Amino acid sequence: MDGPKRQLRVRLRVTARRRGAGDGADGSGSGAGAGGRKRRLDVPALNSAVKLQRREIGGRQLAARGGGPAAAVPERFRNMRLQLQFLRRRSKIMEIVAAKDIIFALAHSGLCAAFNRVTNKRIAFLNLSPDEVIRSLFYNKNNDSLITVSVYASDNFSTLKCRTTPIEYIRRNQLDAGFPLFESESLKWPGFVEFDDVNGKVLTYSAQDGIYKVFDLKNYSFLYSIPDENVQEIKISPGIMLLIYDRTPSYVPLKILSIEDGKPLKFFKHLLHKNKKIDFIEQFNEKLLVKQEDENFQILDVRTSELIEVSVSKFMTPSAFIFLYENNLFLTFRNRTIAVWNFRGELVTSFEDHLLWHHDCSTNNIYITSDQDLIISYCKSEAVAEDGTVTPIGSINMSEIMTGKCIAKISASDPVLNVTPRRNGSKKRSSVWSTVPEALEDVTALFYDEDRNEIYTGNSQGLVHVWSN
């Protein structure tokens, strides 16, 4: 992170699978496993083995690149065209991460490739052995390295293994310069590892030992441990952790710890409606968000005990959240739609022309800029084929978070949008084999490189495309 201002919660949790649950390097298994490739969206759940991941969101502020006022934002996307294509004939792309001038593309098969954006050539595959299945990626800005989380056929894909490799060594194709992390931890199911970029911490859970441990993300040194004594889930916010214990019929015990040293800051009980399922419990700074089945949405200030309730008819349980710390707001995702709320329980924004393509709201297909002013998503759109039939092809939509206005779009129906032609009449073959409609069909991963002002997409055909001015 570039400084304390960058307060967008960035979390990536990868959970181990049950032994023999079917991960396979050939892509025939379930691939991602129990949340292996979903970025954490704060999915409402209380199980520590729940499918949770979070899109790593970063990049320097637009001002550092001379970004102008909001009115000039559409200009950044106006002349986007299809420039490049990587990774032909692979399994579908599950995750894309860009770091400096390198693009990392992770396929459903567990194969991860690194490409040099300057030379537009593949550097290497990051899998160090034939039986390694990479489950997820995390770019660690603290030390400019890439962390891979993998499982292996040798133990039936049941244990998570983490490895860090400096970006500079990846650029040189010196992958052996990396080293393993958290070797002392037994990360078998339902164990997990979670990277929290805001606090610069790593949280691990060893189900075998029943212990949570916190490490420093800068140097991976061990900081402290938390015994698993009826802890059902841990939520992380800037500076604090919320421990959620097993509920009783009438209340759920909660404890807040300092993220820096693990010291208890507050212990309290939140009253519940008996015999009602808990839809979610979330923590945002001093605000506790609680929702039970068919009950009002509650926002509790844990410092003052002030309680705000929002009618169940106005706030229905979302499938996922994204907290925007810079703006003191949060996004909710429900039925492919997005809404912005404040912590008074008021709806701030509804988005126009931003119906998400995928039902699962995975942030593999969503990117929020570091200034938290724009959201870029793969959205529903329909294109008309030459024979007049309607072909379902998505579009890449850019919308303002505060207004909900769609300010730019990459769409197959745009007559200006095309594929980058050969340069100066060169006979050299173009680096793009896809048409624009083909590149926009069934996009499974999306990433926006703020420094280069480029969008990278991957699709179900295993192709990675670069969209650039």
Side-chain angles (χ1 to χ4, degrees):
M1 297 174 68
D2 297 329
K5 183 181 179 182
R6 198 70 76 239
Q7 288 293 298
L8 183 86
R9 179 155 137 189
V10 176
R11 298 175 64 189
L12 164 62
R13 175 177 290 187
V14 186
T15 307
R17 286 188 62 81
R18 291 180 185 271
R19 185 173 178 81
D23 269 308
D26 61 354
S28 60
S30 59
R37 293 201 177 90
K38 282 189 181 179
R39 289 287 181 178
R40 177 170 172 84
L41 272 175
D42 298 296
V43 180
L46 297 178
N47 190 336
S48 62
V50 72
K51 300 179 180 181
L52 297 176
Q53 287 190 354
R54 182 74 178 276
R55 161 73 71 184
E56 192 280 330
I57 303 172
R60 288 175 289 178
Q61 292 198 29
L62 299 178
R65 303 190 308 275
V73 170
E75 298 299 327
R76 305 210 310 266
F77 306 101
R78 189 177 303 280
N79 296 314
M80 284 281 183
R81 63 176 63 194
L82 183 55
Q83 297 269 7
L84 292 169
Q85 176 174 299
F86 296 130
L87 273 183
R88 291 183 295 163
R89 295 184 296 275
R90 306 286 181 184
S91 62
K92 68 179 179 179
I93 306 302
M94 301 301 296
E95 189 172 346
I96 297 176
V97 173
K100 304 295 177 65
D101 54 358
I102 301 179
I103 302 173
F104 300 96
L106 178 59
H108 181 270
S109 63
L111 191 68
C112 181
F115 299 92
N116 188 312
R117 183 62 184 93
V118 176
T119 64
N120 295 326
K121 296 183 181 297
R122 188 178 69 215
I123 299 172
F125 290 105
L126 301 189
N127 306 66
L128 298 183
S129 64
D131 72 332
E132 179 183 9
V133 175
I134 297 177
R135 290 262 303 276
S136 199
L137 311 172
F138 181 82
Y139 173 52
N140 188 355
K141 304 183 191 69
N142 294 277
N143 53 29
D144 196 27
S145 64
L146 184 81
I147 298 176
T148 54
V149 182
S150 305
V151 292
Y152 293 82
S154 57
D155 73 340
N156 208 11
F157 309 104
S158 64
T159 306
L160 300 176
K161 300 291 184 180
C162 301
R163 183 177 179 84
T164 180
T165 308
I167 295 297
E168 184 56 38
Y169 287 104
I170 295 176
R171 185 180 289 108
R172 300 174 191 169
N173 194 12
Q174 297 176 346
L175 301 183
D176 56 355
F179 56 89
L181 300 174
F182 320 122
E183 291 184 285
S184 62
E185 305 310 298
S186 176
L187 301 179
K188 292 182 180 292
W189 190 92
F192 65 81
V193 58
E194 179 172 332
F195 303 96
D196 178 40
D197 203 22
V198 169
N199 295 292
K201 301 293 186 291
V202 182
L203 175 67
T204 65
Y205 175 62
S206 172
Q208 178 179 329
D209 303 327
I211 295 178
Y212 296 90
K213 291 185 180 179
V214 177
F215 298 82
D216 193 317
L217 190 55
K218 297 182 178 66
N219 54 22
Y220 310 112
S221 60
F222 169 72
L223 298 177
Y224 57 89
S225 61
I226 305 170
D228 177 13
E229 299 174 353
N230 302 317
V231 175
Q232 196 175 64
E233 174 66 304
I234 292 182
K235 306 284 187 178
I236 301 177
S237 290
I240 61 174
M241 290 192 298
L242 175 71
L243 275 57
I244 305 172
Y245 293 87
D246 294 336
R247 66 170 290 179
T248 70
S250 58
Y251 67 88
V252 56
L254 302 167
K255 182 187 289 186
I256 296 177
L257 306 181
S258 166
I259 192 74
E260 294 302 324
D261 53 20
K263 292 182 178 179
L265 301 177
K266 186 180 182 67
F267 179 81
F268 59 104
K269 301 174 181 178
H270 186 77
L271 298 180
L272 299 174
H273 297 275
K274 293 182 179 180
N275 304 319
K276 289 293 185 74
K277 178 176 71 74
I278 298 176
D279 288 342
F280 63 81
I281 297 179
E282 295 292 337
Q283 179 79 20
F284 178 97
N285 292 340
E286 72 280 1
K287 304 295 186 182
L288 183 72
L289 280 57
V290 181
K291 178 73 172 63
Q292 286 186 259
E293 184 179 24
D294 300 325
E295 296 295 337
N296 291 341
F297 172 43
Q298 297 181 325
I299 303 174
L300 174 69
D301 190 310
V302 297
R303 294 181 305 176
T304 65
S305 298
E306 178 188 5
L307 179 64
I308 296 174
E309 291 204 18
V310 183
S311 169
V312 65
S313 62
K314 294 182 179 179
F315 187 97
M316 291 177 284
T317 302
S319 59
F321 295 87
I322 291 181
F323 291 112
L324 305 176
Y325 289 91
E326 190 72 22
N327 300 323
N328 202 39
L329 301 168
F330 62 96
L331 302 179
T332 59
F333 297 79
R334 179 181 170 85
N335 296 333
R336 292 180 172 174
T337 62
I338 311 173
V340 182
W341 300 80
N342 61 30
F343 287 89
R344 296 184 300 276
E346 299 167 339
L347 179 64
V348 176
T349 306
S350 294
F351 287 83
E352 66 175 26
D353 193 15
H354 209 106
L355 184 65
L356 301 178
W357 180 276
H358 296 282
H359 285 285
D360 63 4
C361 298
S362 168
T363 46
N364 289 347
N365 293 290
I366 296 170
Y367 187 96
I368 296 176
T369 56
S370 57
D371 287 337
Q372 301 173 22
D373 57 344
L374 295 177
I375 182 169
I376 303 172
S377 310
Y378 181 57
C379 295
K380 292 285 288 183
S381 178
E382 289 187 332
V384 180
E386 293 182 358
D387 60 0
T389 59
V390 177
T391 304
I393 297 174
S395 61
I396 302 170
N397 294 20
M398 303 83 174
S399 297
E400 293 178 339
I401 289 178
M402 295 306 297
T403 67
K405 181 178 176 58
C406 183
I407 52 96
K409 181 189 294 190
I410 296 176
S411 172
S413 61
D414 186 348
V416 179
L417 187 65
N418 55 23
V419 177
T420 296
R422 298 168 182 164
R423 297 182 179 178
N424 300 324
S426 171
K427 295 181 180 180
K428 183 178 179 181
R429 185 180 180 183
S430 170
S431 58
V432 183
W433 290 268
S434 302
T435 64
V436 169
E438 289 172 342
L440 289 172
E441 187 171 358
D442 201 6
V443 169
T444 53
L446 179 152
F447 188 93
Y448 175 48
D449 188 324
E450 299 186 50
D451 291 331
R452 301 181 68 94
N453 191 35
E454 294 182 335
I455 296 174
Y456 310 134
T457 58
N459 63 16
S460 60
Q461 302 301 313
L463 303 177
V464 177
H465 297 98
V466 176
W467 306 84
S468 178
N469 285 316

